[in-house]
């Protein structure tokens, strides 16, 4: 039997984003795999170095469309650290609320979206519908549903109104009531268990070798979470747990996404309780903000995205534009190295399961 080349994506329902994998197969088994990113968003690092500091606020959310707010906050934290800016307390709590809402939105889409490649189409319908409630909150808070450009150096762009707080509380109550239904539909489903358990295995040694963080690492029993290991914002002032598993398979990774949702709900409730009144930003420049100059220096800032450690290395030469920016995309190891090394030997129908449960976000590769 000869080797056949198949083009997986960028339109396959098991593929996330404008991203393709060239599969070389014999029968139903993958022999070689080559990731092909860059079908839409690409080259962000050089684009950022050619734009003014504030102009980048409209660019960076596109590095990962499902969770754009992580880029806003890590970029803002880097600028604030270089400029020695102290952000108002209220703004920090609001940032945490936005990040945890975004985490829930991604987990809903990914957790329920696993139904696409395995044929459980009720899951994506439910997940997308409930995620849309979070987008309603973002629209009322920021004026936009996806690309918010809300978290800025010095704080946040708009205050959180009582109406938005009420929307958040009602959504959290609603989602908590829905979680048992999601568990029954997906995780207690015998077909889902058969298709995901023991599939797309990633053991602890391989995860360390690849540099995988986030749920991919936590599914091997390592409770590594930047929010706990190196707290940023006010994560050291809230209580939450870091769920782990030991199997390292597709089922455990998806189930951990489900288990993280109640923890995010718990964090958001604490943020709403602890958040004081007061200022939401501080001016970091005098006069024209577009001509703002960041003091000379370099810094690496990292946070915990839904897919793992997400970092920016930022260098300023004291000018109006960044001198150098390097993005540490959370899904880079499993999207590039993982696909090439670990998809071979996989059956064709299990390829989308690897991509979905590993949280592939293609612009993090071709950035």
């Amino acid at each position: 039997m000869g080797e056949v080349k198949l083009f997986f994506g960028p339109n396959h329902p098991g593929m996330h984003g404008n991203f393709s994998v060239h599969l070389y197969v014999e029968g139903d088994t993958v022999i070689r795999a080559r990731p092909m990113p860059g079908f839409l968003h690409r080259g962000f690092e050089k684009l950022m170095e050619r734009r003014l500091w504030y102009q980048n606020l409209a660019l960076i959310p596109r590095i990962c469309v499902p969770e754009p707010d992580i880029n806003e906050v890590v970029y803002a934290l880097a600028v604030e650290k270089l400029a020695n800016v102290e952000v108002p307390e209220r703004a920090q709590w609001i940032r945490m609320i936005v990040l945890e809402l975004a985490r829930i939105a991604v987990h809903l889409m990914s957790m329920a979206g696993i139904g696409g490649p395995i044929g459980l189409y009720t899951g994506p319908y439910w997940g997308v519908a409930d995620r849309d409630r979070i987008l309603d909150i973002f629209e009322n808070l920021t004026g936009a549903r996806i690309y918010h450009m809300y978290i800025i150096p010095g704080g946040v762009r708009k205050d959180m109104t009582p109406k938005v707080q009420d929307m958040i509380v009602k959504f959290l109550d609603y989602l908590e009531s829905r979680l048992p239904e999601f568990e029954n539909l997906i995780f207690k489903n015998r077909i889902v268990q058969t298709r995901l358990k023991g599939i797309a295995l990633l053991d602890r040694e391989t995860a360390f070798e690849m540099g995988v963080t986030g749920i991919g690492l936590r599914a091997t029993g390592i409770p590594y979470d930047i929010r706990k290991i190196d707290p940023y914002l006010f994560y050291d002032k809230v209580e939450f747990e870091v769920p782990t598993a030991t199997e390292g398979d597709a089922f455990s990774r998806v189930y951990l996404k489900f288990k993280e949702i109640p923890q995010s709900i718990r964090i958001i409730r604490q943020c709403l309780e602890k958040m004081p009144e007061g200022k939401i930003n501080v001016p970091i420049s005098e006069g024209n903000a577009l001509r703002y100059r960041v003091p000379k220096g370099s810094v690496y800032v990292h946070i915990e995205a839904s897919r793992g450690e997400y970092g920016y290395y930022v260098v300023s030469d004291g000018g109006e534009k960044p001198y150098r920016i390097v993005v540490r995309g959370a899904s880079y190891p499993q999207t590039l190295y993982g696909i090439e090394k670990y998809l071979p030997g996989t059956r064709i129908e299990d390829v989308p399961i690897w991509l979905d449960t590993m949280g592939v976000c293609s612009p993090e590769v071709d950035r």
Side-chain angles (χ1 to χ4, degrees), residues 266-342:
R266 184 180 175 189
I267 291 171
I268 294 170
R269 292 194 188 279
Q270 293 176 74
C271 291
L272 290 171
E273 277 184 24
K274 296 174 180 289
M275 182 172 64
E277 296 295 329
K279 297 172 62 177
I280 59 166
N281 56 52
V282 294
I284 63 170
S285 66
E286 296 181 3
N288 188 352
L290 288 177
R291 294 301 175 186
Y292 174 60
R293 293 177 179 268
V294 173
K296 187 176 182 179
S298 64
V299 64
Y300 176 73
V301 177
H302 61 172
I303 67 169
E304 185 70 28
S306 65
R307 300 169 310 288
E309 180 178 347
Y310 199 98
Y312 272 36
Y313 175 68
V314 181
V315 180
S316 173
D317 61 1
E320 297 175 348
K321 302 175 183 178
Y323 176 76
R324 186 76 178 97
I325 293 184
V326 178
V327 179
R328 197 275 182 197
S331 68
Y332 182 88
Q334 54 266 44
T335 305
L336 186 64
Y337 182 55
I339 285 175
E340 291 191 345
K341 186 168 183 178
Y342 295 103

Side-chain angles (χ1 to χ4, degrees), residues 76 91 97 141 150 154-155 161 177 204 207 227 234 273 337-338 346 360:
I97 293 171
L141 175 64
Y150 176 71
T161 64
S177 70
R204 185 177 302 179
R227 295 173 296 176
F234 290 147
E273 277 184 24
Y337 182 55
T346 301
V360 167

Side-chain angles (χ1 to χ4, degrees), residues 21-311:
V21 180
H22 291 186
L23 299 175
Y24 300 83
V25 303
E26 286 187 5
D28 295 330
T29 304
V30 177
I31 306 302
R32 291 184 290 130
R34 185 183 179 194
M36 301 293 289
F39 281 88
L40 179 60
H41 299 317
R42 63 187 301 183
F44 287 97
E45 293 175 346
K46 287 303 174 187
L47 288 172
M48 284 190 276
E49 292 165 15
R50 285 159 174 75
R51 283 166 170 74
L52 302 175
W53 289 96
Y54 261 83
Q55 286 179 321
N56 282 327
L57 297 176
L59 176 67
I60 53 178
R62 290 159 174 80
I63 300 180
C64 190
V65 179
E67 196 179 17
D69 309 277
I70 55 172
N71 287 282
E72 294 182 15
V73 75
V74 77
Y75 182 76
L77 289 172
V79 173
E80 289 157 4
K81 195 168 183 178
L82 286 169
N84 196 27
V85 172
E86 186 172 346
V87 178
E89 184 177 348
R90 181 175 177 84
Q92 299 286 52
W93 290 112
I94 293 175
R95 287 177 172 185
M96 287 176 61
I97 293 171
V98 170
L99 289 180
E100 293 306 314
L101 283 172
R103 185 185 308 275
I104 293 173
V106 173
H107 284 343
L108 283 173
M109 187 166 63
S110 180
M111 170 193 79
I114 193 66
I118 65 176
L120 181 64
Y121 296 112
T122 304
Y125 295 151
W126 283 13
V128 170
D130 285 347
R131 173 179 174 269
D132 208 52
R133 295 171 182 262
I134 298 178
L135 303 190
D136 289 340
I137 294 172
F138 283 147
E139 185 175 18
N140 278 270
L141 175 64
T142 72
R145 297 179 70 80
I146 304 296
Y147 299 134
H148 305 135
M149 292 162 276
Y150 176 71
I151 298 171
I152 60 175
V156 294
R157 188 163 46 82
K158 293 171 57 179
D159 201 357
M160 180 177 289
T161 64
K163 175 187 174 182
V164 172
Q165 292 188 48
D166 185 59
M167 289 178 69
I168 293 172
V169 171
K170 288 180 178 177
F171 169 74
L172 298 182
D173 293 341
Y174 163 80
L175 186 59
E176 282 180 325
S177 70
R178 287 277 284 160
L179 290 179
E181 297 180 57
F182 275 105
E183 186 164 24
N184 286 330
L185 174 72
I186 301 172
F187 303 104
K188 294 183 179 180
N189 187 313
R190 184 167 60 88
I191 296 176
V192 173
Q193 293 185 13
T194 301
R195 288 291 288 116
L196 299 186
K197 285 189 174 181
I199 301 298
L201 288 168
L202 183 70
D203 59 42
R204 185 177 302 179
E205 291 72 21
T206 304
F208 279 127
E209 176 192 344
M210 291 169 58
V212 172
T213 55
I215 283 175
L217 183 59
R218 293 196 286 273
T220 69
I222 305 296
Y224 183 85
D225 189 312
I226 303 297
R227 295 173 296 176
K228 290 282 191 182
I229 303 297
D230 187 15
Y232 51 97
L233 303 179
F234 290 147
Y235 277 106
D236 56 341
K237 297 183 180 181
V238 295
E239 296 180 358
F240 65 100
E241 298 171 2
V242 179
T244 61
T246 56
E247 296 80 5
D249 59 2
F251 184 86
S252 63
R253 289 192 293 272
V254 177
Y255 195 50
L256 284 182
K257 296 176 184 181
F258 173 76
K259 298 294 285 185
E260 283 194 358
I261 291 176
Q263 299 304 317
S264 290
I265 292 174
R266 184 180 175 189
I267 291 171
I268 294 170
R269 292 194 188 279
Q270 293 176 74
C271 291
L272 290 171
E273 277 184 24
K274 296 174 180 289
M275 182 172 64
E277 296 295 329
K279 297 172 62 177
I280 59 166
N281 56 52
V282 294
I284 63 170
S285 66
E286 296 181 3
N288 188 352
L290 288 177
R291 294 301 175 186
Y292 174 60
R293 293 177 179 268
V294 173
K296 187 176 182 179
S298 64
V299 64
Y300 176 73
V301 177
H302 61 172
I303 67 169
E304 185 70 28
S306 65
R307 300 169 310 288
E309 180 178 347
Y310 199 98

